[in-house]
Amino acid sequence: MLKLFNTLSKQLEEFKPLEAGKVSMYTCGPTVYWNAHIGNFRAYVFEDVLVRLLDFEGFEVKRVLNITDVGHLTDDADEGEDKMVKAARREGKTVWDIADLYLKKFVEDSSKLNIRLPEKPYLCRATDHIEQQIELIKILMDKGFGYKTSDGIYFDTSKFQDYGKLSGQKSEDKEEGARVEANPEKRNKTDFALWKFSYQNGRSFDSAQDDSSKKRQMEWKSPWGVGFPGWHAECSAMAHEYLGQPFDIHCGGVDHIAVHHENEIAQSEAAYGTKMANYWLHNEFLTVDGQKMSKSIGNVYTLDELAEKGFEPLSLRLFYFGANYRQIQNFTFEALQASQNALHKLRNIARELEVDGTVLADVEADFLAALNDDLNTPKALAVVWKLLDSENSTQDKGATLLALDRVLALSLDGYVGKRVVVPDEIQALMDKRMQAREEKNWLDSDKLRAEIESRGWTIEDTKEGQRAVPKH
Ligand code: AMP
Ligand code: ZN
């Protein structure tokens, strides 16, 4: 029985899908103005494990992941500078090029982490769904939830009775974005933009420096004026388009609870008159020295930066499994190195196993019991290590490891049963080393070891003599 912690009820709940055997799921995706960092990827790996677990347990999963490519403003309060425009200026490109570039990079990085992304149309770009967003805003206007100000159309949160139900905060208690002055035309502090106009009093919103005659690079016609949708509109509109309402599970990071998800709920439930989603799951932050890893603090790493330091993406995937998704996880290079060592050890053990055994039902049951307990990945990993240490046959261990790796996705199928064949040139170096050791020529022996290591192999001296093990 799968139990998940639901932010809506603040409790562990048994997962009951709306339709037997099927799961509909919406996951908030990246804003494609820069490379996703390894804090962001913590969220996507957690969601990937959930999808793979559901799939393993026989559910048919329909998952939507949105790509935020409309330039939104740099803070949650609908003010500040447009992130996409800022990136375009930085890189001397158009905002459309920026979106394409970083979407491509996101797909590549996700694939390196063995994250299974949805296919089109479920991997959906906000700019491809402007019509649906306008439709949503029209419904909200017709139902009296929206109002017009000089810079856009806003949602009146005081009209939505349940406002604050996800975060448990009341509208009056909530802070407007701290870095900006309150917008005097807003009726309530928590009201948020549904649609923003490109121009206000002749001034472009592209940036403060822009000449008012310049057009915004991304703008669309709407019944209320030329402009662009508010950030939250895309998720409500696209979730409704592809999943209907209600759907089963909505995921994202904890930073989305108080504003983004609260506002998604307000829009969707006010417009369509039903609950938006039954289960709301939120992952905690990846931190560095106790601070959230974030672009604005500047303490971020990307997969490319880790690769430059010699770390494989799958070592990071294994690192994430070391903490439950609801715990804060602190990132250090020492911890990542330990995960990389563990991954290499796992591969070397896998090479000694065979593929043609029987999946051990009790081990699989223990593994699933751990993950069914709100995705307890540390416990699930402990089950894997215990299996490898056990006295079961190499065939059964191999078959079981492969089965569990359908959820872990550490690419162990490339290793199980693939016995190591030492290439001739490595064998020749090893023979020379053996000879040097017989002659007690330790200097040469060490040099030869270093040479072998530089070619990707480590030497273990065992009772039976030396043995070459691939480093990875
Ligand atoms: P954003 O592009 O900022 O909307 O973030 C994309 C996803 O990554 C969201 O689900 C965020 O909640 C999540 N996220 C951002 N920073 C972190 C972090 N340091 N640790 C974990 N998740 C994060
Ligand atoms: Zn969203």
Side-chain angles (χ1 to χ4, degrees):
M1 182 176 68
L2 174 58
K3 283 190 172 171
L4 297 169
F5 185 87
N6 190 349
T7 309
L8 208 49
S9 65
K10 289 160 199 65
Q11 296 187 43
L12 260 189
E13 287 182 26
E14 181 188 342
F15 175 66
K16 292 194 190 124
L18 286 155
E19 204 180 322
K22 294 191 175 173
V23 179
S24 47
M25 181 167 160
Y26 188 91
T27 49
C28 291
T31 306
V32 282
Y33 72 110
W34 197 68
N35 287 317
H37 58 70
I38 63 171
N40 303 133
F41 277 116
R42 184 178 188 205
Y44 306 124
V45 168
F46 135 66
E47 290 155 4
D48 186 59
V49 171
L50 178 58
V51 169
R52 286 175 183 273
L53 174 67
L54 291 165
D55 182 70
F56 192 91
E57 299 199 326
F59 288 101
E60 190 186 310
V61 183
K62 190 195 224 186
R63 176 202 179 181
V64 173
L65 175 76
N66 68 299
I67 302 295
T68 302
D69 58 353
V70 174
H72 293 296
L73 306 174
T74 41
D75 63 36
D76 281 342
D78 305 310
E79 301 290 341
E81 200 180 9
D82 180 321
K83 286 182 192 173
M84 297 287 293
V85 171
K86 209 168 154 184
R89 195 165 44 235
R90 179 185 71 222
E91 301 189 22
K93 296 188 166 81
T94 68
V95 286
W96 298 97
D97 291 342
I98 290 287
D100 287 347
L101 175 70
Y102 289 113
L103 171 55
K104 184 162 169 276
K105 197 68 179 58
F106 174 71
V107 171
E108 283 168 10
D109 282 353
S110 296
S111 146
K112 287 181 189 165
L113 281 165
N114 281 349
I115 293 169
R116 208 154 59 184
L117 294 179
E119 304 276 337
K120 266 190 166 179
Y122 303 125
L123 183 76
C124 44
R125 294 173 73 145
T127 51
D128 290 336
H129 299 79
I130 299 297
E131 225 175 274
Q132 289 87 340
Q133 297 178 67
I134 291 176
E135 202 45 48
L136 167 80
I137 302 166
K138 270 192 200 160
I139 298 173
L140 291 171
M141 291 300 272
D142 287 349
K143 290 192 169 184
F145 287 100
Y147 62 93
K148 191 171 175 176
T149 73
S150 59
D151 77 352
I153 302 292
Y154 282 78
F155 184 99
D156 186 341
T157 50
S158 69
K159 298 231 164 100
F160 181 65
Q161 283 235 314
D162 279 343
Y163 196 80
K165 72 173 171 181
L166 189 66
S167 58
Q169 284 175 287
K170 283 272 153 260
S171 174
E172 316 75 86
D173 305 337
K174 286 183 95 172
E175 285 282 310
E176 193 172 28
R179 282 167 292 157
V180 290
E181 289 188 13
N183 175 345
E185 290 180 78
K186 273 170 42 171
R187 294 182 189 162
N188 311 283
K189 280 195 290 194
T190 45
D191 291 359
F192 56 91
L194 294 168
W195 187 263
K196 285 218 114 178
F197 301 137
S198 284
Y199 298 96
Q200 178 195 25
N201 305 328
R203 182 173 77 81
S204 161
F205 276 95
D206 254 9
S207 86
Q209 293 104 48
D210 262 357
D211 165 21
S212 62
S213 62
K214 255 199 208 157
K215 258 169 74 77
R216 256 184 76 85
Q217 290 182 49
M218 278 187 182
E219 61 180 19
W220 295 267
K221 282 189 189 141
S222 82
W224 314 282
V226 173
F228 55 105
W231 170 35
H232 320 294
E234 66 184 68
C235 291
S236 289
M238 295 195 287
H240 184 258
E241 170 91 358
Y242 295 114
L243 302 174
Q245 201 170 293
F247 54 90
D248 291 306
I249 304 178
H250 195 312
C251 301
V254 286
D255 52 333
H256 282 346
I257 299 173
V259 177
H260 181 52
H261 288 170
E262 204 72 85
N263 293 348
E264 279 187 29
I265 289 176
Q267 293 170 153
S268 294
E269 302 194 356
Y272 305 116
T274 62
K275 201 172 176 185
M276 184 179 192
N278 284 335
Y279 301 86
W280 287 79
L281 271 54
H282 293 98
N283 65 281
E284 254 297 350
F285 288 142
L286 185 71
T287 59
V288 181
D289 300 327
Q291 274 190 303
K292 175 191 176 188
M293 183 175 281
S294 86
K295 190 79 178 70
S296 55
I297 300 174
N299 57 355
V300 299
Y301 294 104
T302 61
L303 282 194
D304 288 347
E305 285 163 336
L306 294 191
E308 278 166 26
K309 292 179 191 283
F311 291 103
E312 292 182 49
L314 293 182
S315 305
L316 179 67
R317 187 172 171 102
L318 185 58
F319 164 83
Y320 292 136
F321 295 163
N324 177 273
Y325 76 96
R326 288 203 299 121
Q327 294 168 333
I328 290 174
Q329 185 174 30
N330 198 48
F331 176 80
T332 63
F333 280 103
E334 290 73 25
L336 184 60
Q337 184 62 58
S339 295
Q340 180 138 305
N341 297 346
L343 180 67
H344 294 171
K345 184 172 165 198
L346 203 52
R347 289 174 178 169
N348 284 331
I349 296 173
R351 286 180 168 113
E352 309 275 317
L353 303 178
E354 310 287 343
V355 287
D356 50 354
T358 310
V359 176
L360 296 159
D362 54 335
V363 177
E364 186 184 286
D366 286 350
F367 178 80
L368 292 178
L371 292 177
N372 279 335
D373 182 15
D374 201 25
L375 306 181
N376 191 336
T377 48
K379 204 164 166 193
L381 278 186
V383 173
V384 172
W385 290 113
K386 194 170 151 213
L387 162 75
L388 300 177
D389 260 351
S390 70
E391 300 294 324
N392 290 295
S393 70
T394 53
Q395 285 85 354
D396 290 356
K397 284 205 259 189
T400 309
L401 186 61
L402 282 178
L404 308 189
D405 198 43
R406 279 175 48 207
V407 181
L408 298 173
L410 294 168
S411 292
L412 295 176
D413 51 346
Y415 298 87
V416 177
K418 307 254 157 69
R419 286 207 177 272
V420 171
V421 182
V422 179
D424 290 348
E425 96 245 19
I426 300 292
Q427 190 57 54
L429 289 167
M430 286 169 68
D431 293 347
K432 273 195 190 166
R433 179 172 176 267
M434 197 46 115
Q435 202 185 338
R437 288 172 75 80
E438 272 162 18
E439 291 162 8
K440 301 208 174 343
N441 183 349
W442 307 121
L443 195 68
D444 274 4
S445 162
D446 283 351
K447 273 193 199 153
L448 285 157
R449 172 194 283 273
E451 174 65 26
I452 293 166
E453 296 233 339
S454 76
R455 296 183 188 207
W457 294 75
T458 33
I459 295 293
E460 286 176 1
D461 290 307
T462 69
K463 270 182 278 171
E464 291 82 38
Q466 56 177 357
R467 195 165 78 103
V469 183
K471 272 190 180 166
H472 306 305

